Amino acid sequence: EGRGAYPFSSPRPALLSKKTSDMHRALRSSLLPRSLLGVRSGACLTPSRAMGGGAAEPVGVEDRDAKVKVGRALKETGVAMKIAGGEEVFSVRRPVMSLLGSKPLMANDAFVAPSASVIGDVTLYDYSSVWYSAVVKGDCNTVKIGGMSNIQDRCVVSTVPSLETGFPSKVDVGNYVSVGPGSVLTSCTIGDHVIVGEGTSIGEGSVISSVCVLEPGSVVPPNTFIPGGQKWGGNPISYISDLGGHADEDIQAHAKQISLLAEDHFDEYLPYGNAYKHLEEVVEDAPIEGGEGKA
C-alpha cells in the first residue's frame, strides 16, 4: 500500500498462536462487560474533529476511564505473555499520546519518528514531520504544525498557560517552516516560509513573520516581533539583512527536501505495535487465510 494508507487504520496482523488467541478471547468475554468494550451503539472515544467533523455521541467519564484502565491492563498482559513466551520486547513506548482528554490529530501522511513524543492537543498537517527525540507538547494550550513543516531532532515545542499580553498562548507554526535541531519553541507564532536555525530559542509571545530566516543559535526574547523578508540572528536576536526576492522559493524547496527524506523514514517505520520488526517477518509469522499458519 502507498504512503497514504496510514498504519493506524489498518488491521493488525495476527501474531498469536491459536491457543493464545483462545485465551485472549476468553479473558475478554469473561472479564469485560460489553459496555466497556465499546460495542454500545454510538460509542466513540475519538473527537468529532478527527471523524470528519460529524457529531459523535458523548461517552461518560466513567466509561472512558474504565476503557483506559482496561486497555492498559490488556496491553501489559500482552507484554507479559510475550516475555513469558521468550520473545524479546524492544520498546513499548508511544510516540503519540493523549493527555487530559485531548488526542493528537495527524494527517495520514504526517511522520512522527519512533523516538519522538507528540502529546495532547497537537495538530500535524499534511506532510509535516516530527523527527527523532523531538518533543511536541500540547498540554497547557494547543499546538499546530502546518503543512510541509518539520520539527527536527531534539526540538522542544511547548506552551504556557497564559501570556501577560493577553494574546493566546498557543504555538502556531505555518506552512513550509523548518525548525532546526535542538531548537526550543514556547507559545509563539511562526508564519509561512521560515527557517529557524539549529539551537534557536524562541520565547513565549514572540511572533516570527512569513519569509524569514533566523540564524543558528539565535535567542528570541519573549514578546519579540520579527518582520518578514529579513534575516535575524544573535543573542539577543537582532537584524542582519534583507532577504532576496526568491527567498520564499528557496525556503519552500528546503522544506520539501526534508519532507521527501521523511517519506523514506516513514516507509521504514511500522508504528502499529511492531516498530522494530521487518515487514517480511510480520508477513511470515501471520497465519495464512484458511490454514493454521506458521506454528
Side-chain angles (χ1 to χ4, degrees):
E1 295 182 355
R3 186 179 179 219
Y6 198 61
F8 285 140
S9 61
S10 304
R12 182 176 184 177
L15 301 179
L16 300 179
S17 65
K18 184 176 185 302
K19 180 178 179 182
T20 306
S21 299
D22 292 340
M23 291 172 53
H24 195 69
R25 283 193 293 269
L27 175 66
R28 289 172 60 89
S29 61
S30 62
L31 298 181
L32 305 181
R34 291 174 60 85
S35 61
L36 298 187
L37 292 176
V39 297
R40 178 166 57 88
S41 175
C44 179
L45 286 178
T46 307
S48 58
R49 59 174 182 164
M51 303 298 290
E57 178 184 344
V59 176
V61 175
E62 294 182 359
D63 284 351
R64 184 179 63 218
D65 292 343
K67 287 184 179 182
V68 170
K69 293 179 181 178
V70 170
R72 185 180 297 117
L74 288 175
K75 174 185 174 183
E76 294 176 354
T77 301
V79 173
M81 293 173 66
K82 287 183 178 181
I83 296 176
E87 180 176 348
E88 184 176 3
V89 179
F90 293 92
S91 175
V92 292
R93 73 181 307 279
R94 293 173 293 169
V96 179
M97 189 183 85
S98 301
L99 179 67
L100 303 176
S102 296
K103 180 179 180 180
L105 180 63
M106 300 168 49
N108 288 343
D109 41 25
F111 168 68
V112 176
S115 61
S117 297
V118 177
I119 304 167
D121 195 355
V122 177
T123 302
L124 302 180
Y125 282 78
D126 299 315
Y127 297 106
S128 59
S129 55
V130 180
W131 290 80
Y132 301 92
S133 299
V135 178
V136 180
K137 295 188 300 180
D139 47 3
C140 298
N141 218 307
T142 62
V143 175
K144 187 209 83 173
I145 309 298
M148 203 73 75
S149 294
N150 55 83
I151 307 297
Q152 298 175 31
D153 310 74
R154 308 184 315 280
C155 288
V156 177
V157 180
S158 61
T159 59
V160 296
S162 61
L163 297 175
E164 296 178 356
T165 58
F167 289 102
S169 59
K170 61 183 180 179
V171 172
D172 192 340
V173 177
N175 304 319
Y176 301 105
V177 175
S178 297
V179 181
S183 297
V184 178
L185 278 59
T186 306
S187 292
C188 58
T189 299
I190 301 178
D192 300 333
H193 300 90
V194 174
I195 292 181
V196 178
E198 179 178 358
T200 295
S201 176
I202 303 180
E204 60 270 17
S206 296
V207 176
I208 313 299
S209 302
S210 297
V211 192
C212 189
V213 174
L214 305 185
E215 288 289 288
S218 300
V219 176
V220 182
N223 304 317
T224 299
F225 175 77
I226 306 295
Q230 298 178 355
K231 178 189 293 185
W232 286 58
N235 180 11
I237 199 167
S238 59
Y239 169 81
I240 296 177
S241 65
D242 289 341
L243 298 176
H246 301 285
D248 56 340
E249 298 177 2
D250 296 338
I251 294 173
Q252 181 170 321
H254 178 71
K256 286 184 176 180
Q257 183 179 7
I258 295 178
S259 179
L260 290 175
L261 182 60
E263 288 188 22
D264 296 333
H265 289 255
F266 187 100
D267 293 337
E268 291 294 331
Y269 173 45
L270 304 176
Y272 198 97
N274 298 285
Y276 299 92
K277 283 192 172 184
H278 293 294
L279 180 60
E280 292 81 2
E281 296 175 353
V282 175
V283 174
E284 182 182 358
D285 292 341
I288 302 174
E289 184 176 355
E292 292 296 329
K294 181 179 177 180

